Amino acid sequence: MGSSREGNDVAQGNLKASQLERVQDLVARRTAGLSLEAPFYTDQDFFDADMKAIFGRHWLFVAVDAEIPEPGDTTTIDFGPYSVIVVRDDDEELRAFHNVCRHRGARLLDAGCAEIGNLVCPYHKWTYNTDGELMHAPAQAPDFDRSSFGLRTVHVRSVAGLIFICLAEEPPADFDEVAAVIEPYFAPHALKGAKLAHRTDLVENGNWKLVLENNRECYHCDGHPELIGAYFPVFAIDDDEDVPPNLRTTYERYRKTLAEMYEVYDRLGLPYEHIREVDTRTTGFRVQRDALDGAGESYTLDGTAACTRTLGDLPEKRLGYLSMHMQPNSWFHVVGDHAITFSALPISPDKTLVRTTWLVHPDAEEGADYDLGAMTKVWTATNDQDAALVARGQQGVTNPAYVPGPYAPSEHQVEAFVNWYITRLEEELKR
Amino acid sequence: MGSSREGNDVAQGNLKASQLERVQDLVARRTAGLSLEAPFYTDQDFFDADMKAIFGRHWLFVAVDAEIPEPGDTTTIDFGPYSVIVVRDDDEELRAFHNVCRHRGARLLDAGCAEIGNLVCPYHKWTYNTDGELMHAPAQAPDFDRSSFGLRTVHVRSVAGLIFICLAEEPPADFDEVAAVIEPYFAPHALKGAKLAHRTDLVENGNWKLVLENNRECYHCDGHPELIGAYFPVFAIDDDEDVPPNLRTTYERYRKTLAEMYEVYDRLGLPYEHIREVDTRTTGFRVQRDALDGAGESYTLDGTAACTRTLGDLPEKRLGYLSMHMQPNSWFHVVGDHAITFSALPISPDKTLVRTTWLVHPDAEEGADYDLGAMTKVWTATNDQDAALVARGQQGVTNPAYVPGPYAPSEHQVEAFVNWYITRLEEELKR
Amino acid sequence: MGSSREGNDVAQGNLKASQLERVQDLVARRTAGLSLEAPFYTDQDFFDADMKAIFGRHWLFVAVDAEIPEPGDTTTIDFGPYSVIVVRDDDEELRAFHNVCRHRGARLLDAGCAEIGNLVCPYHKWTYNTDGELMHAPAQAPDFDRSSFGLRTVHVRSVAGLIFICLAEEPPADFDEVAAVIEPYFAPHALKGAKLAHRTDLVENGNWKLVLENNRECYHCDGHPELIGAYFPVFAIDDDEDVPPNLRTTYERYRKTLAEMYEVYDRLGLPYEHIREVDTRTTGFRVQRDALDGAGESYTLDGTAACTRTLGDLPEKRLGYLSMHMQPNSWFHVVGDHAITFSALPISPDKTLVRTTWLVHPDAEEGADYDLGAMTKVWTATNDQDAALVARGQQGVTNPAYVPGPYAPSEHQVEAFVNWYITRLEEELKR
């Protein structure tokens, strides 16, 4: 009858045999060095496989603590066929539940943030507390056992103010290790207590993997005029020996600025080792600090800080940037005065919601301490530009004339993302 | 070649084996006491099965005589992949036809009401009379046999002014019995000669069974503030021995009013036995009369009649209400001054059109004898509230985390509807 | 790895076995004299088969030379899952390419006309010349072989100013023969150097075959009040012996006008033999000249020319009309003062884009030499009327009550189109 709260692995439903076979064939013949074949991006069978093997199994970044700071605050996140409520309970702990009433299955909360006392189903008033326990179901027979009908739980945890959930009954075991590595990078910026300055939801007309692949390379960054000025134009150079003559001056300026940054990081105790475990573990990630060009303080048009207060009250505002990638669905940028988080939430094979949040010092006041427009301009424009490119990618791979093409050297992170993804599917197919 | 008018069983096309197998599995493992599994509400295979086994086999309430009172009046009803024309022929008899030209298949009439002389196909002017016979097909060879190309017929009959159709070649045999039982309940209200005061079409974002299940219980009626005042708040009480202390006064008032109603019914010769054959026969139904709270005359905010004329010129206007449920797709309410009919017409797995009509005395004039706003306010609001709840139900069962949940005692009619439905699928699977 | 430009037969991907089987069954049991069964018009499997067997194999009319007169002019045509760029290269030759970058598959150009220098992918700036060769791919490793990543080519050719493409690696061999036959009919009207006066895109809510079938008969022409006046109302008469009494006077007037036209054609050297090879060869076509009623010069409300200049500077403007049908997707009308081309481009099983172009003498000036409204009124209205009829046809064949019906004698060209179509599917099924 499935009424127990144990065994709440919603992704355990099996794919149909015909679906599995198609996925298996294309996973088996995937060719390294080339982009994936079209069905991975366009086909409902493959989307179903992704929802099960990737979004049903792995830790997903879905929100920030700053969105739900108080007891009773909730944020409801929809992705693929799922909907998950994250709530801060009366003890200020995070809890997460599937957004489905245990009676006849009505949706409890709409997508977005809300404040609640208890979770009351709008249909027949079944009432759950913030621990997910069924407190009251009107007009039941005397033998009705409320304790069998608590909400189905979802794993949730915050790492330095970033909220991750996992639908699997047994989440990937390596997340503790990863959390321990990344927490020291983010903790000095105090995102947990930060203020949510802005949030945008952008529906991109492309498969979630095209959204991620687009994020994992700057080969296309000529298409981002607002963003490109922030970076030293040397990101394709991996080796000091290998600098093209026309970039030598720029490269020397970059190396000099980077050395200055390292001094700052050492002085402030900010970790900056570049750690790249993108496709070598289940919870793939990459974290680094690097210098920014220009004023070097922030993602603004001239590189100067957009907010007078630094995150974490750090005593310097020129910190370059802290960047993190997390598989399968997120990326992050932190500068001295603000942080930006990005979460890709699949909607259908050809649609993905990209949710972006901007975080600032908790005492910073809009208008007084920061100009929201100046602070959000670069990444809002960049998101819009990326959405147009992703849509063009989706249109192309839908064409029967598409054949997988070769990655350029500077697309090594795209290939690493794809490696990670294919490995996850292989693991799933073995189950 | 299928050109004969015999054998017009359009539902005879078989489901694919893979579809049948899925339906069969879930029908076999259905658990009494719990709501249905998700695919019954969300999956195209199951919708196809419903269209064949339920809407292709059973009598469906689709219209009222008052919509097509004169010869040549038509009403065209779309549901699932079907479209049916109901026409009053030159002898004032009802006829029904599939809305498809026998030439190259063009649709003949748009959905809704129209007046016609003959049925003329807009494409090549093939012309059918109101008996469905092909009268004229332009420019045919001399050996063309018009008599082979009459419109494909659909069974149709009116019971006390309520029009039912059946697509099956052999409709359920028990409809005569049912008609004989219900006709005396409705006849005194003279719906056949009534006037159509209002009609609304509301597309609800849910499977047709969620629409019906919602209708079959008042467990959610706190969500209907306008409606709930009309009823005594004792509808969950089945047994006089079982009245909770806080409702005893109310319950006594209800019993007293009911006794008054029974006197009225006896005096006027109105049958009022509660007959409940919802899941015990092919043409499941339930009919009853009951008291209304407040003024007790009508579905208005204060319970007073909205129309000065009583249906059927009955000499009293305080009659409580006559209620009927018909499987699979309709429900009805009659009060002294007006009647309301509801027909659920599936559109797709997650969309259903609910058509509501309000009927009044044929001589009643809007503005003079009735205020249309006052008369329609309660059920228009109730329909809108139900649509929101049904949509929430559909969203929930689409979530992989949904598991069937337990019916409350007051949801016994929901379960009876589901029992009826599952029995029909079992019969179909045996064919 | 499929990176070679050889073997660019995009239609070679096989249909799934289950798809093939369904198509095979219905092809096998198709009954001559009757319209096709519903799945040919409504079902995604059959649409996929059409895209492969018909639109992936045959020559398709998609554009006119007048749309892309100069080097660097492009027109991009979408149909089904395909998108093809036709470009006039620097040598003024036509080239055609699949609209997909060879890198990670982004779409290169949007639908419609554009002027380009090179073809530059908007994503990562891969740059192709108008011969489709990859000229530049930024930041590649030294061993990257540009020559392996040219655009995938599509066959293209112009016949007397009408542009045809073929996606197949080996196009139908008989196109040269057909081109040799039809070229002399069109050449005197000089469409190659003509001016594009107007172009419309109309999305019809019907399967592409319903669009074509509708075009291939005038049994429905009572529904075209603007058009019908242009033609003698004798088009259903095949035999001089067989004229109904009420049309004898009209028929004699028609024969007299036709004799006058033949004199004109002979005088001007315009071929006018009626050639009908619609279903007797792979590249089915039909070409004829015939008289027009009224002033007999043009498709205007009164039949007088809408433009002061004749196409090809022919010394007479009263030429009746030249008409051509080409399988699978086009039809054409040429009168003394202008030409109209029609191309049907499938979008989905139930949607088809109809693109219409009007061509005039290259020196004709709008306002001075022609009134665009007067010139386009008849066929714009006719297209709109046809769209409504096609939509009604699609609605009807989607109804399970539809059964194939008999063609009237005057629908012989509809049946010939269907014969051609079924023969092509049979050929495909044998492969």
Side-chain angles (χ1 to χ4, degrees):
Chain A
M1 147 167 184
S3 63
S4 155
R5 297 177 69 194
E6 313 306 315
N8 54 8
D9 187 355
V10 299
Q12 70 198 347
N14 287 318
L15 296 173
K16 297 181 211 166
S18 62
Q19 290 182 301
L20 263 183
E21 205 176 307
R22 298 187 63 210
V23 174
Q24 200 140 24
D25 284 356
L26 267 65
V27 165
R29 76 183 192 206
R30 180 241 168 171
T31 309
L34 295 183
S35 58
L36 292 172
E37 292 191 67
F40 285 103
Y41 302 113
T42 62
D43 193 290
Q44 186 68 45
D45 286 352
F46 287 75
F47 185 76
D48 292 347
D50 285 0
M51 289 308 101
K52 180 169 161 59
I54 309 297
F55 284 80
R57 296 268 182 217
H58 292 84
W59 285 97
L60 312 172
F61 169 71
V62 295
V64 289
D65 274 272
E67 290 174 276
I68 46 173
E70 304 290 334
D73 285 350
T74 68
T75 181
T76 298
I77 304 106
D78 292 356
F79 52 100
Y82 304 110
S83 180
V84 172
I85 299 168
V86 179
V87 59
R88 192 168 300 277
D89 72 13
D90 297 339
D91 300 324
E92 306 203 7
E93 295 298 314
L94 293 177
R95 303 271 181 172
F97 308 105
H98 287 289
N99 186 15
V100 183
C101 184
R102 291 297 307 277
H103 174 215
R104 277 161 48 202
R107 184 183 174 106
L108 297 166
L109 291 179
D110 294 326
C113 291
E115 291 173 47
I116 59 160
N118 289 313
L119 274 163
V120 183
C121 179
Y123 205 162
H124 304 97
K125 313 300 175 201
W126 284 34
T127 301
Y128 306 87
N129 67 17
T130 55
D131 292 347
E133 292 165 344
L134 178 60
M135 304 302 287
H136 179 60
Q140 291 292 348
D143 62 347
F144 178 75
D145 177 15
R146 281 190 287 126
S147 70
S148 295
F149 297 102
L151 294 177
R152 300 184 76 186
T153 57
V154 170
H155 296 280
V156 59
R157 55 184 294 181
S158 165
V159 178
L162 310 175
I163 299 175
F164 295 81
I165 61 171
C166 181
L167 303 188
E169 195 169 348
E170 293 187 17
D174 71 340
F175 193 71
D176 284 343
E177 275 171 44
V178 172
V181 172
I182 66 180
E183 204 276 346
Y185 284 75
F186 284 84
H189 302 282
L191 300 188
K192 183 159 170 36
K195 169 183 163 181
L196 180 72
H198 195 49
R199 186 171 74 180
T200 61
D201 281 350
L202 176 65
V203 175
E204 303 198 5
N205 292 313
N207 186 272
W208 70 274
K209 295 186 293 293
L210 289 183
V211 171
L212 267 289
E213 290 171 17
N214 177 73
N215 171 257
R216 297 316 199 221
E217 47 96 352
C218 217
Y219 189 33
H220 71 275
C221 280
D222 280 350
H224 295 311
E226 293 83 359
L227 177 64
I228 201 78
Y231 294 115
F232 286 93
V234 296
F235 32 77
I237 301 169
D238 277 333
D239 184 347
D240 288 2
E241 306 297 303
D242 198 32
V243 180
N246 65 323
L247 283 178
R248 279 204 192 127
T249 315
T250 304
Y251 193 73
E252 277 163 31
R253 190 164 55 79
Y254 164 65
R255 297 297 308 179
K256 181 164 166 293
T257 308
L258 193 59
E260 291 166 16
M261 286 300 108
Y262 287 167
E263 277 181 33
V264 173
Y265 300 155
D266 285 333
R267 190 161 64 238
L268 302 181
L270 304 179
Y272 59 91
E273 187 191 357
H274 183 170
I275 302 178
R276 191 183 175 289
E277 305 190 8
V278 189
D279 54 357
T280 50
R281 59 157 69 239
T282 306
T283 302
F285 78 103
R286 172 182 166 280
V287 66
Q288 72 170 134
R289 287 186 192 270
D290 205 344
L292 287 174
D293 204 350
E297 298 170 359
S298 191
Y299 286 110
T300 53
L301 289 179
D302 63 0
T304 59
C307 183
T308 59
R309 306 293 301 261
T310 57
L311 285 170
D313 288 319
L314 288 170
E316 308 210 17
K317 58 184 179 177
R318 183 165 173 258
L319 300 174
Y321 68 103
L322 164 62
S323 164
M324 180 166 74
H325 293 173
M326 291 284 287
Q327 314 298 29
N329 81 317
S330 59
W331 59 100
F332 308 84
H333 296 290
V334 184
V335 285
D337 65 331
H338 72 280
I340 317 124
T341 72
F342 304 80
S343 169
L345 301 166
I347 296 170
S348 62
D350 61 357
K351 287 202 193 312
T352 305
L353 185 139
V354 173
R355 176 164 293 170
T356 307
T357 71
W358 284 259
L359 301 173
V360 296
H361 190 284
D363 300 333
E365 283 181 38
E366 185 180 344
D369 295 304
Y370 62 96
D371 177 323
L372 187 63
M375 191 165 68
T376 58
K377 187 182 182 68
V378 168
W379 278 106
T380 301
T382 301
N383 276 348
D384 288 344
Q385 291 148 4
D386 282 331
L389 296 173
V390 164
R392 198 166 277 283
Q394 185 73 25
Q395 291 174 317
V397 297
T398 303
N399 190 320
Y402 164 70
V403 286
Y407 294 120
S410 65
E411 294 175 300
H412 56 91
Q413 287 193 60
V414 179
E415 187 161 15
F417 165 75
V418 171
N419 289 341
W420 177 88
Y421 166 74
I422 290 289
T423 306
R424 300 289 85 71
L425 288 189
E426 286 168 345
E427 286 176 359
E428 185 71 28
L429 290 166
K430 278 182 208 142
R431 282 195 183 101
Chain B
M1 147 171 186
S3 63
S4 155
R5 296 177 69 194
E6 315 304 317
N8 52 9
D9 187 356
V10 300
Q12 71 199 347
N14 288 318
L15 296 173
K16 296 181 210 164
S18 62
Q19 291 181 300
L20 264 183
E21 204 175 309
R22 296 188 63 210
V23 174
Q24 200 139 26
D25 284 355
L26 267 64
V27 165
R29 78 182 190 206
R30 180 240 169 172
T31 308
L34 295 182
S35 59
L36 292 172
E37 291 191 67
F40 285 103
Y41 302 113
T42 62
D43 193 290
Q44 187 68 44
D45 286 352
F46 287 75
F47 185 75
D48 292 348
D50 286 359
M51 289 307 102
K52 180 170 162 56
I54 308 297
F55 284 80
R57 294 267 182 220
H58 292 83
W59 285 97
L60 311 172
F61 169 71
V62 295
V64 289
D65 273 273
E67 290 175 275
I68 48 172
E70 304 289 334
D73 285 349
T74 67
T75 181
T76 298
I77 304 106
D78 293 357
F79 52 99
Y82 304 111
S83 180
V84 172
I85 300 168
V86 180
V87 59
R88 193 169 299 278
D89 73 13
D90 297 340
D91 300 323
E92 306 204 6
E93 295 298 314
L94 293 176
R95 303 269 181 174
F97 308 106
H98 287 288
N99 187 14
V100 183
C101 185
R102 290 298 306 278
H103 175 214
R104 276 162 50 202
R107 183 184 175 104
L108 296 166
L109 291 179
D110 294 326
C113 292
E115 290 172 48
I116 59 160
N118 289 314
L119 274 163
V120 183
C121 179
Y123 205 162
H124 304 95
K125 313 299 176 202
W126 283 34
T127 302
Y128 306 87
N129 66 18
T130 55
D131 292 345
E133 292 165 346
L134 179 59
M135 305 302 289
H136 179 60
Q140 291 292 348
D143 62 346
F144 178 75
D145 177 14
R146 279 189 288 124
S147 71
S148 295
F149 297 102
L151 293 177
R152 300 184 76 187
T153 57
V154 170
H155 295 280
V156 60
R157 56 184 293 180
S158 166
V159 179
L162 309 175
I163 299 175
F164 294 82
I165 62 171
C166 181
L167 303 188
E169 195 170 349
E170 293 188 16
D174 71 339
F175 194 71
D176 285 343
E177 275 171 43
V178 172
V181 171
I182 65 180
E183 205 276 345
Y185 284 75
F186 284 83
H189 302 281
L191 300 187
K192 183 159 170 37
K195 170 182 162 181
L196 181 72
H198 194 50
R199 187 171 73 179
T200 60
D201 281 350
L202 176 64
V203 175
E204 303 198 4
N205 292 313
N207 186 272
W208 69 275
K209 295 187 292 294
L210 289 183
V211 172
L212 268 290
E213 291 170 15
N214 177 73
N215 171 257
R216 296 316 199 222
E217 47 96 352
C218 216
Y219 189 34
H220 71 275
C221 280
D222 280 350
H224 296 311
E226 293 84 359
L227 178 64
I228 200 79
Y231 294 115
F232 287 93
V234 296
F235 33 77
I237 302 170
D238 277 332
D239 183 349
D240 288 1
E241 307 297 302
D242 200 32
V243 181
N246 65 324
L247 283 178
R248 276 200 195 132
T249 314
T250 305
Y251 193 71
E252 276 163 33
R253 191 164 54 80
Y254 164 65
R255 297 296 309 179
K256 181 164 166 295
T257 308
L258 193 58
E260 291 167 16
M261 286 299 107
Y262 287 167
E263 276 180 34
V264 173
Y265 300 156
D266 285 333
R267 190 161 64 238
L268 302 181
L270 304 179
Y272 59 91
E273 188 193 354
H274 184 171
I275 301 176
R276 190 182 176 289
E277 304 189 7
V278 189
D279 54 357
T280 51
R281 60 156 69 238
T282 307
T283 302
F285 77 103
R286 173 181 164 280
V287 66
Q288 71 169 133
R289 287 186 192 271
D290 206 343
L292 287 174
D293 203 350
E297 297 170 0
S298 191
Y299 286 109
T300 53
L301 289 180
D302 62 1
T304 60
C307 183
T308 60
R309 306 293 302 261
T310 57
L311 285 170
D313 289 318
L314 287 171
E316 308 209 17
K317 59 183 179 179
R318 183 165 173 259
L319 300 174
Y321 69 104
L322 164 63
S323 164
M324 182 167 72
H325 294 173
M326 291 283 289
Q327 314 296 30
N329 82 317
S330 59
W331 59 99
F332 308 84
H333 295 290
V334 184
V335 284
D337 65 330
H338 71 280
I340 317 123
T341 72
F342 304 81
S343 169
L345 300 166
I347 296 170
S348 62
D350 61 357
K351 285 202 195 312
T352 305
L353 185 137
V354 173
R355 177 165 290 169
T356 307
T357 71
W358 283 260
L359 301 174
V360 295
H361 189 284
D363 299 334
E365 283 182 38
E366 187 181 340
D369 295 305
Y370 63 94
D371 177 323
L372 188 63
M375 192 166 69
T376 58
K377 187 182 181 68
V378 168
W379 279 107
T380 302
T382 301
N383 276 349
D384 288 344
Q385 292 148 3
D386 282 331
L389 295 173
V390 164
R392 198 166 276 283
Q394 185 73 25
Q395 290 175 317
V397 297
T398 303
N399 191 318
Y402 163 72
V403 285
Y407 293 122
S410 66
E411 294 175 299
H412 57 91
Q413 287 193 59
V414 178
E415 186 162 16
F417 166 74
V418 171
N419 289 341
W420 177 88
Y421 166 74
I422 289 290
T423 305
R424 300 288 86 71
L425 288 189
E426 286 168 344
E427 285 176 0
E428 186 70 28
L429 291 165
K430 279 183 206 140
R431 283 194 182 101
Chain C
M1 143 170 186
S3 63
S4 154
R5 295 177 71 193
E6 314 305 317
N8 54 9
D9 188 355
V10 299
Q12 70 199 347
N14 287 318
L15 296 173
K16 297 180 210 165
S18 62
Q19 291 182 300
L20 263 184
E21 205 176 308
R22 297 189 62 210
V23 174
Q24 201 139 23
D25 284 356
L26 266 64
V27 165
R29 77 182 191 206
R30 181 240 170 172
T31 308
L34 295 182
S35 59
L36 292 172
E37 292 192 67
F40 284 103
Y41 302 114
T42 62
D43 194 290
Q44 187 68 43
D45 286 352
F46 287 75
F47 186 76
D48 292 348
D50 285 359
M51 288 309 101
K52 179 169 162 58
I54 309 296
F55 284 80
R57 294 268 183 219
H58 292 84
W59 285 96
L60 311 172
F61 169 71
V62 295
V64 289
D65 273 272
E67 290 174 277
I68 48 171
E70 305 290 334
D73 286 348
T74 67
T75 180
T76 297
I77 304 107
D78 293 357
F79 52 100
Y82 304 110
S83 180
V84 172
I85 299 168
V86 179
V87 60
R88 193 168 299 278
D89 73 11
D90 297 339
D91 300 323
E92 307 204 7
E93 296 298 315
L94 293 177
R95 303 270 182 174
F97 308 106
H98 288 287
N99 186 15
V100 183
C101 184
R102 291 297 306 277
H103 175 214
R104 278 161 48 201
R107 183 183 175 104
L108 296 166
L109 291 179
D110 294 326
C113 291
E115 291 172 48
I116 60 158
N118 288 313
L119 273 162
V120 183
C121 180
Y123 204 163
H124 304 96
K125 312 300 174 203
W126 283 36
T127 301
Y128 306 88
N129 67 16
T130 55
D131 293 346
E133 293 165 345
L134 179 60
M135 304 302 288
H136 179 60
Q140 291 292 348
D143 63 346
F144 177 75
D145 177 15
R146 279 190 289 125
S147 70
S148 295
F149 298 101
L151 294 177
R152 300 185 76 187
T153 57
V154 170
H155 295 280
V156 60
R157 55 185 294 182
S158 166
V159 178
L162 310 175
I163 298 176
F164 295 81
I165 63 171
C166 181
L167 302 189
E169 196 168 348
E170 294 187 16
D174 71 340
F175 194 71
D176 284 343
E177 276 172 42
V178 172
V181 172
I182 65 180
E183 205 275 345
Y185 284 75
F186 284 83
H189 303 281
L191 300 187
K192 184 161 171 36
K195 169 182 163 183
L196 180 72
H198 194 50
R199 186 172 72 178
T200 61
D201 281 351
L202 175 65
V203 175
E204 303 199 3
N205 291 313
N207 186 272
W208 70 275
K209 295 186 293 294
L210 289 183
V211 172
L212 268 289
E213 290 171 17
N214 177 73
N215 172 258
R216 297 316 199 220
E217 47 97 352
C218 216
Y219 189 35
H220 72 275
C221 280
D222 280 351
H224 295 312
E226 293 83 0
L227 177 64
I228 200 80
Y231 294 115
F232 286 94
V234 297
F235 33 76
I237 302 170
D238 276 333
D239 183 348
D240 288 2
E241 307 297 301
D242 198 33
V243 180
N246 65 323
L247 284 178
R248 282 210 187 120
T249 315
T250 304
Y251 192 72
E252 276 164 30
R253 190 163 57 79
Y254 164 64
R255 296 297 310 178
K256 181 164 167 294
T257 308
L258 193 58
E260 292 167 17
M261 286 300 106
Y262 288 168
E263 278 182 34
V264 173
Y265 300 156
D266 284 333
R267 189 160 65 240
L268 301 182
L270 303 179
Y272 59 92
E273 187 192 358
H274 183 170
I275 301 177
R276 190 182 176 289
E277 305 189 7
V278 188
D279 53 357
T280 51
R281 60 157 69 239
T282 306
T283 302
F285 77 104
R286 172 181 165 280
V287 68
Q288 72 169 134
R289 286 186 193 271
D290 205 343
L292 287 174
D293 202 350
E297 298 170 0
S298 192
Y299 286 110
T300 53
L301 289 180
D302 64 0
T304 60
C307 183
T308 60
R309 306 293 302 261
T310 58
L311 285 170
D313 288 320
L314 288 171
E316 308 211 15
K317 60 182 177 179
R318 182 164 171 260
L319 299 174
Y321 68 104
L322 163 63
S323 164
M324 181 166 73
H325 294 173
M326 290 283 288
Q327 316 295 31
N329 80 318
S330 60
W331 60 101
F332 308 84
H333 297 289
V334 184
V335 285
D337 64 331
H338 71 280
I340 317 123
T341 72
F342 304 80
S343 169
L345 300 166
I347 296 170
S348 61
D350 61 356
K351 287 204 193 311
T352 305
L353 187 138
V354 173
R355 176 164 292 169
T356 307
T357 71
W358 284 260
L359 301 174
V360 295
H361 189 285
D363 299 334
E365 283 183 36
E366 186 181 342
D369 296 304
Y370 63 95
D371 177 323
L372 187 63
M375 192 165 69
T376 58
K377 186 182 182 65
V378 168
W379 279 106
T380 301
T382 301
N383 276 349
D384 288 344
Q385 292 148 2
D386 281 332
L389 296 174
V390 164
R392 198 166 277 282
Q394 186 72 25
Q395 291 174 318
V397 297
T398 303
N399 190 318
Y402 164 70
V403 286
Y407 294 121
S410 65
E411 293 176 300
H412 57 90
Q413 287 193 59
V414 178
E415 187 161 14
F417 166 75
V418 171
N419 290 341
W420 177 87
Y421 166 74
I422 290 290
T423 305
R424 299 288 85 71
L425 288 190
E426 286 168 345
E427 286 175 2
E428 185 71 27
L429 290 165
K430 279 183 206 137
R431 280 194 185 102

